[in-house]
Amino acid sequence: MEAYIFYIAATVSVIAGIYLVLERNPIYSVLYLILTLVGVAVLYILLEAQFIAAVQIIVYAGAIMILYLFIVMLLNLNIRGGVKDVLSFQRMPSIFMGIFLFFSICTVIKSKLMQGEKGEYSAAYIESVGNTKLIGKLLFTDYLLPFEIASILLFVAAIGVIMVAKRKQ
Amino acid sequence: MVTITHYLVLSAILFTIGVVGVLVRRNAIIIFMCIELMLNAVNLSFVAFAHYLNSMDGQMIVFFTMTVAAAEAAVGLAIIVSVFRNKETVNIDDINIMKW
């Protein structure tokens, strides 16, 4: 049962990713990326990371992709003409390089470097405490400094976006 | 039976699709979206490791990665909007003022 869900979600994600790269219309590309993100969220639920899956749907597919969609619609790109491509000979070597990169990563995966020692948060323990509660507890004890730095980062990013995108008056 | 290798190979496939997308496409917004795809592939491998190695560190890293990805997407799109305001194009072959 778990294998069926994994293969369906994986196939949906990969095919949507391929269509994302090949599609001419930018709005369709945004929709294919939303489909990929939803497929990855299903895989997160399979991996018993329910909070991360919910955050992926709400923040990534819900907020960031809506931002992309707004920008694509605001820019109103003219996609009917041909796209100017100065380096059109780059296409085939980059596909070969992508295949080579994939086989390099698979070589590393097959080697014995991928074994780590098991931590102490087993699936049964996480289920007894609750995934979200455990993430909340860790955020305020072990990961307090990254949490505060992330808040400063978001603050700086919000100010930066306003300053960059403001019209000069 | 789904082992960790399945998840890692899937993460590698998504990452490779993102890399090829960044190299092949000429629209700046599509390039940004392929970068988001690469980030998601890495997030998937982090969560897979967190599950199969009985750890919570992977999920915490993914939490902060999503935060950084949101901030980076917002700032990058603001830069694209201001470039478009000046040059009327988002084709990266036309944004070449910094060439020699």
Side-chain angles (χ1 to χ4, degrees):
Chain A
M1 182 64 187
E2 177 190 338
Y4 288 143
I5 300 178
F6 170 77
Y7 282 117
I8 291 175
T11 309
V12 164
S13 296
V14 169
I15 292 183
I18 293 178
Y19 270 112
L20 158 72
V21 170
L22 295 179
E23 180 65 45
R24 281 290 142 210
N25 194 345
I27 294 197
Y28 291 167
S29 288
V30 174
L31 296 178
Y32 282 126
L33 184 57
I34 293 179
L35 188 57
T36 306
L37 296 178
V38 169
V40 171
V42 169
L43 290 170
Y44 286 160
I45 295 186
L46 263 186
L47 287 168
E48 304 193 6
Q50 296 95 357
F51 178 73
I52 301 290
V55 166
Q56 167 104 344
I57 297 285
I58 295 174
V59 170
Y60 232 125
I64 301 179
M65 286 305 128
I66 300 301
L67 177 64
Y68 272 98
L69 212 49
F70 268 117
I71 299 294
V72 169
M73 288 193 291
L74 275 177
L75 292 189
N76 199 13
L77 305 164
N78 182 14
I79 43 131
R80 272 171 294 277
V83 179
K84 169 180 164 188
D85 194 356
V86 171
L87 296 175
S88 59
F89 55 82
Q90 191 187 351
R91 209 164 287 174
M92 285 315 290
S94 63
I95 294 178
F96 285 136
M97 207 204 75
I99 296 176
F100 174 66
L101 173 70
F102 173 67
F103 282 118
S104 310
I105 299 176
C106 283
T107 308
V108 173
I109 292 173
K110 274 195 170 38
S111 74
K112 290 302 174 188
L113 295 171
M114 286 278 151
Q115 287 171 351
E117 48 180 66
K118 297 233 171 192
E120 63 267 12
Y121 290 105
S122 67
Y125 175 69
I126 294 178
E127 184 134 352
S128 71
V129 175
N131 190 333
T132 308
K133 187 169 174 181
L134 193 53
I135 287 185
K137 193 162 84 95
L138 282 175
L139 265 182
F140 283 100
T141 54
D142 289 336
Y143 291 91
L144 184 59
L145 183 61
F147 179 64
E148 302 295 338
I149 293 177
S151 75
I152 296 179
L153 173 76
L154 286 174
F155 179 57
V156 169
I159 294 181
V161 165
I162 295 175
M163 291 311 295
V164 167
K166 213 170 63 149
R167 282 192 193 273
K168 305 288 182 289
Q169 275 152 2
Chain B
M1 188 60 198
V2 181
T3 66
I4 191 176
T5 311
H6 293 81
Y7 286 102
L8 293 181
V9 168
L10 172 65
S11 166
I13 293 176
L14 286 175
F15 190 82
T16 308
I17 293 174
V19 167
V20 172
V22 169
L23 289 173
V24 167
R25 297 302 300 258
R26 292 289 171 252
N27 192 342
I29 302 179
I30 310 265
I31 291 179
F32 268 81
M33 288 199 289
C34 293
I35 294 177
E36 300 289 335
L37 184 60
M38 284 197 268
L39 281 170
N40 270 287
V42 172
N43 283 353
L44 179 64
S45 79
F46 269 124
V47 173
F49 270 117
H51 181 248
Y52 283 99
L53 291 183
N54 285 346
S55 159
M56 284 299 283
D57 293 336
Q59 299 190 19
M60 305 310 295
I61 291 179
V62 166
F63 184 83
F64 291 115
T65 304
M66 275 188 205
T67 307
V68 170
E72 159 234 334
V75 173
L77 286 176
I79 292 177
I80 288 181
V81 161
S82 62
V83 165
F84 182 79
R85 224 178 255 151
N86 286 330
K87 282 183 75 69
E88 293 294 322
T89 180
V90 288
N91 194 344
I92 58 170
D93 284 328
D94 291 330
I95 308 172
N96 55 3
I97 303 180
M98 279 169 82
K99 270 175 74 167
W100 54 88

